[in-house]
Amino acid sequence: MINTFQTSLAPQPPPPVPPRHHNGSHPILIPTHLPSQSHSKSVLHFLVGMVLLHLFLSIGGFIYLSFKMNYIFLQEKQQPYPAQEFLPVANMQKGQLQEKPTKAFARMLVLQPSVTQIPNQGYLLWDKSHSDLSNISLLHKSSRLEILKPGKYHVYSKVTFSKSDSKRPLASKVMLRKSEVDEEKPVMMAYCSLDSHKVSFPNMCTAMQGEILTLEKGNQLSIWVQDTALVDYEEGATTFGIYEL
């Protein structure tokens, strides 16, 4: 008899058993889809746009601040400062403005005496039209300077002699009179001498002096010489100055 339960095919081995994990859990694989190419381009375009927008905003802000600062600088430059327009200083006690006080000074140039003037009167005259005066007055036929502000002053004189005196040395004295009723007295003096043997050039000498004096209001100063005819009256040769310290 023919056995119908047998086949010519060889028996097949059983399927392999999947490996087991030590913790007993099985990984669950979730199928995912890769992002499309169009979606990646959109994200890239968005990022590039944000960077460009930030760059434009930064440049625009910088330009705006630059114009703003230049405008403010020009506005402040065009506005005058009160301290540059005038020189008054504030009086904090009275709440008013008063001008800065001017220093008293006098720079005098000698005035040549006229032909009708007695040459040996002794006091030099000063040319007011060619001299500088501030808070000091010229009195007594242009021979005395009157102090109007009390204080310490630098007093100087320069007297140049072109002729000698055979009996006395050439002298220059600064005379002080405290008031009209007081007697004057010398407070400064200087001497010089001429060499009568040198005849190849003009014979001259200069008596110069300078002191710091404390003067009161109403004091009067003058320059005395023994003979005004011996003085050299060339411009700048004989001067008299008083400067408040």
Side-chain angles (χ1 to χ4, degrees):
M1 292 182 67
I2 299 172
N3 187 4
T4 57
F5 294 98
Q6 295 181 350
T7 64
S8 62
L9 296 176
Q12 296 293 328
V17 179
R20 296 180 178 272
H21 294 277
H22 296 285
N23 53 6
S25 61
H26 300 278
I28 302 175
L29 300 178
I30 301 176
T32 59
H33 300 280
L34 294 176
S36 64
Q37 188 175 3
S38 61
H39 179 73
S40 300
K41 289 184 178 180
S42 300
V43 174
L44 180 61
H45 291 165
F46 175 76
L47 294 177
V48 172
M50 292 298 294
V51 172
L52 293 177
L53 178 62
H54 179 72
L55 179 61
F56 291 150
L57 289 178
S58 300
I59 296 176
F62 177 77
I63 296 175
Y64 172 77
L65 290 178
S66 298
F67 279 104
K68 188 68 174 179
M69 294 299 294
N70 291 334
Y71 175 77
I72 296 175
F73 175 76
L74 292 176
Q75 289 294 108
E76 293 180 353
K77 187 176 181 181
Q78 293 176 358
Q79 294 180 357
Y81 291 95
Q84 297 178 352
E85 295 180 345
F86 49 85
L87 295 177
V89 294
N91 188 342
M92 302 303 294
Q93 295 180 354
K94 297 182 180 180
Q96 299 177 352
L97 294 177
Q98 55 182 348
E99 294 183 357
K100 185 178 180 179
T102 304
K103 293 283 188 178
F105 66 89
R107 183 184 182 276
M108 313 304 296
L109 297 180
V110 70
L111 178 65
Q112 187 170 4
S114 62
V115 294
T116 59
Q117 184 180 358
I118 302 175
N120 57 358
Q121 279 188 325
Y123 293 98
L124 296 179
L125 303 179
W126 307 106
D127 188 359
K128 186 176 182 180
S129 60
H130 293 84
S131 302
D132 296 325
L133 287 165
S134 176
N135 290 324
I136 294 178
S137 298
L138 184 59
L139 306 175
H140 295 282
K141 298 182 180 180
S142 302
S143 63
R144 293 178 184 154
L145 296 177
E146 183 180 21
I147 303 299
L148 303 180
K149 291 175 59 180
K152 290 186 178 295
Y153 289 82
H154 176 246
V155 181
Y156 80 93
S157 71
K158 179 179 71 172
V159 179
T160 301
F161 296 94
S162 58
K163 299 177 182 179
S164 60
D165 191 335
S166 59
K167 297 181 180 180
R168 296 173 295 178
L170 298 173
S172 170
K173 298 180 180 180
V174 177
M175 308 297 291
L176 171 63
R177 175 181 287 182
K178 293 185 177 181
S179 66
E180 289 288 347
V181 297
D182 293 328
E183 183 180 358
E184 64 180 358
K185 61 179 182 179
V187 290
M188 298 165 56
M189 59 185 66
Y191 300 90
C192 72
S193 60
L194 294 174
D195 190 351
S196 59
H197 298 288
K198 295 182 179 181
V199 294
S200 60
F201 55 87
N203 212 1
M204 293 184 182
C205 70
T206 301
M208 301 182 64
Q209 52 189 326
E211 293 286 348
I212 296 177
L213 302 178
T214 301
L215 302 175
E216 301 293 335
K217 182 178 180 181
N219 290 173
Q220 299 175 7
L221 297 174
S222 58
I223 301 294
W224 178 92
V225 295
Q226 67 258 36
D227 191 345
T228 58
L230 305 178
V231 176
D232 180 33
Y233 292 98
E234 186 179 358
E235 184 177 356
T238 301
T239 60
F240 183 33
I242 302 175
Y243 292 92
E244 181 187 6
L245 299 179

